[in-house]
Amino acid sequence: MSVHEQAAAAILSQIALAADGAVLGITLAYIAVRSILKFTAASSALRKIRDAPSLRVSDLRSVLSQSEGSDSSSNDSEGGKLVIVRGVVEAKSVVDGNWKSLRSNVLVSHESGEKGVILHRIQTCIYNEWRGFFGWTSDLRSLFSRSWKEQESVSLRMVPFILVEGGRRPQSDYLIVNMEGSKHPLPLVTVYHQLQPISASPYTFLQALFGHEYPVGLLDEEKILPLGKDITAVGICSLKDGIPEIKSCKDLPYFLSDLTKDHMVVALAFRTKVLLWSGVVIGAFSIGILGYAAVRNWSRWKEWRQQRRDQQQTPPDTDDADPQIATEETGDIPDGALCVICLMRRRRSAFVPCGHLVCCQRCALSVERDLAPKCPVCRQTIRSSVRIYDS
C-alpha cells in the first residue's frame, strides 16, 4: 500500500469513527436501505421471469394473436406480452425478400475475420508512471485523477438481426430483435485479444523525466455476437405488421443471454437471498452502532452539563483572591514551568488519568469545560484535574 493510500485509509477511518461511530452507522444504514431496494427490484424481476411463458419462435404468432384478442389487462403496460424465447442469431437481410438478401448484411471482425451482427471493439492505452527527477508532480496528480493511467476508445456497431429456430430452413418464422434503448449486457464472444507494446520515443523520455505518465502498451480487443449463436431473449413481444418483435424491459436484468429460463430463475433467487440477508445483517449492525453512538453522546452531554453546573457553583479561585499568591503565580517563572496554554502562569494542575502537569489551574478548568476534554500534550481524554502543591 502506497503512502497516499495509507493516508487516505487513515482519514477515512477517522471520519467513519467520528462522533463515536455515528458516521459509520449512517453509512451502513444507507447501504442496508440500498440492499433492501435492490432486493425488492430483484424479487419483482424474479416473479416476472418465473411467470413469463417460455416459447419457441414458431409459436409466437399464435400466442400473440390470442393475447391481442383477449382482454387488454392481460397484456403488459408497454403494449406487448412478456415472453422468453430461445433462438439462433441470424442477420435480418436473409428474410428481407429482395435483391439485397443475396448479399448478407453482416459485420466482419477486423482482425479475426469472423462474421456477426454486433461488433464491439475496445482499444485501451496502458500508461506507466515513473517519479523521475521531478516526480512530485505525479503525486499531486494521482490524488485527483487516478483514471489517467488508462484511456479507452470504445466503438459499438450493430446491424438488424433476428432469432430463428435452429435447423429449420427456410426461416418462415422469425423474431425481430429491437435493440433501441437497451442497456443490458450482451452475450458477446471475444474473437481477438492482443497486447501490443509501444516503442519509446524522445518525447517518452521527457515524460518519464518530469514524472508524467507515458504509454507502454495498446490492448486491442474485439467482441462479436456471431451468426448461429443460440441465445435467449427476455422482453416485451408484440406483433408489428404481423411479424413478432421483441424489445427489452427496463425492469428486468436480462434481455439477451446465454442462460435458459431455469438458470435465470436460479440466479435471481440466489441474488434475492443475498440481498435480503445482507440488508438485514448490515441494517442490524447500523442500528446497533447508531444506538451506541446516541447513548455515548447523550452521556457525554449530560456529564458536560453537570460539570458546567459544578463549576458555576464552585467559589472563585483563592489564588486569584490572594494578591501574594497571584504575584507568585505570575512572577519570575522559568520557561519550563509556564503553562503551555496561556504561557503566563505556573503549572499547577495535573490531568487525570494521563498525569501531565502542563497547565495552570485556570486553564485546566477551561479545558475541563470542553464537550470532549483532552490533554493538550497527549490528546488523551481526561476526566478531571488535580491541583499540585509544592512542599
Side-chain angles (χ1 to χ4, degrees), residues 149-283:
K149 296 183 183 298
E150 290 187 0
Q151 292 183 0
E152 287 186 352
S153 62
V154 181
S155 63
L156 180 64
R157 297 173 55 200
M158 62 180 64
V159 297
F161 64 98
I162 59 175
L163 295 183
V164 298
E165 290 191 23
R168 297 191 60 177
R169 297 284 179 174
Q171 288 83 10
S172 58
D173 295 318
Y174 58 91
L175 173 65
I176 299 176
V177 180
N178 187 353
M179 296 292 297
E180 294 181 1
S182 173
K183 296 182 180 180
H184 296 77
L186 299 173
L188 303 179
V189 178
T190 302
V191 294
Y192 182 75
H193 185 90
Q194 185 177 2
L195 178 61
Q196 301 175 355
I198 297 178
S199 57
S201 63
Y203 179 68
T204 303
F205 174 75
L206 292 178
Q207 287 178 310
L209 182 64
F210 287 92
H212 292 274
E213 296 92 349
Y214 55 93
V216 295
L218 181 64
L219 180 61
D220 196 356
E221 185 177 13
E222 283 188 349
K223 298 180 180 180
I224 65 171
L225 182 60
L227 299 177
K229 182 178 177 62
D230 194 13
I231 63 174
T232 302
V234 183
I236 307 300
C237 190
S238 60
L239 289 177
K240 185 176 181 180
D241 298 331
I243 300 175
E245 183 183 76
I246 191 169
K247 57 183 179 180
S248 64
C249 181
K250 297 180 181 180
D251 298 334
L252 299 180
Y254 303 106
F255 177 38
L256 301 177
S257 175
D258 293 323
L259 303 176
T260 61
K261 177 182 177 179
D262 295 336
H263 292 127
M264 291 180 187
V265 171
V266 171
L268 281 176
F270 178 75
R271 177 178 172 81
T272 54
K273 292 180 180 179
V274 171
L275 290 173
L276 175 62
W277 285 108
S278 62
V280 171
V281 172
I282 296 176

Side-chain angles (χ1 to χ4, degrees), residues 339-352:
C339 172
V340 297
I341 296 180
C342 66
L343 298 177
M344 295 174 57
R345 291 177 290 273
R346 187 183 298 273
R347 301 179 182 181
R348 288 297 186 187
S349 295
F351 293 115
V352 178

Side-chain angles (χ1 to χ4, degrees), residues 36-235:
I36 296 300
L37 293 177
K38 290 181 180 180
F39 162 75
T40 305
S43 300
S44 177
L46 176 60
R47 289 193 300 268
K48 290 181 178 180
I49 292 179
R50 185 176 291 165
D51 297 338
S54 181
L55 304 174
R56 297 183 302 174
V57 177
S58 58
D59 299 332
L60 285 174
R61 293 178 185 269
S62 59
V63 173
L64 294 177
S65 299
Q66 294 176 2
S67 178
E68 289 183 355
S70 62
D71 186 17
S72 60
S73 61
S74 62
N75 298 340
D76 288 345
S77 59
E78 300 185 23
K81 184 178 180 61
L82 181 63
V83 296
I84 301 176
V85 184
R86 187 79 177 178
V88 177
V89 176
E90 190 62 72
K92 188 176 180 297
S93 58
V94 300
V95 295
D96 283 339
N98 51 28
W99 62 273
K100 294 182 180 180
S101 63
L102 299 176
R103 184 172 59 90
S104 179
N105 184 19
V106 296
L107 300 174
V108 181
S109 172
H110 298 282
E111 304 296 339
S112 64
E114 297 190 30
K115 297 180 179 180
V117 293
I118 298 178
L119 177 61
H120 189 209
R121 187 174 186 182
I122 305 174
Q123 286 187 331
T124 306
C125 188
I126 302 176
Y127 289 80
N128 194 9
E129 181 178 284
W130 181 59
R131 291 182 179 274
F133 296 102
F134 306 97
W136 59 271
T137 57
S138 63
D139 296 337
L140 297 178
R141 188 168 53 254
S142 63
L143 292 176
F144 301 100
S145 180
R146 299 186 62 87
S147 61
W148 286 1
K149 296 183 183 298
E150 290 187 0
Q151 292 183 0
E152 287 186 352
S153 62
V154 181
S155 63
L156 180 64
R157 297 173 55 200
M158 62 180 64
V159 297
F161 64 98
I162 59 175
L163 295 183
V164 298
E165 290 191 23
R168 297 191 60 177
R169 297 284 179 174
Q171 288 83 10
S172 58
D173 295 318
Y174 58 91
L175 173 65
I176 299 176
V177 180
N178 187 353
M179 296 292 297
E180 294 181 1
S182 173
K183 296 182 180 180
H184 296 77
L186 299 173
L188 303 179
V189 178
T190 302
V191 294
Y192 182 75
H193 185 90
Q194 185 177 2
L195 178 61
Q196 301 175 355
I198 297 178
S199 57
S201 63
Y203 179 68
T204 303
F205 174 75
L206 292 178
Q207 287 178 310
L209 182 64
F210 287 92
H212 292 274
E213 296 92 349
Y214 55 93
V216 295
L218 181 64
L219 180 61
D220 196 356
E221 185 177 13
E222 283 188 349
K223 298 180 180 180
I224 65 171
L225 182 60
L227 299 177
K229 182 178 177 62
D230 194 13
I231 63 174
T232 302
V234 183

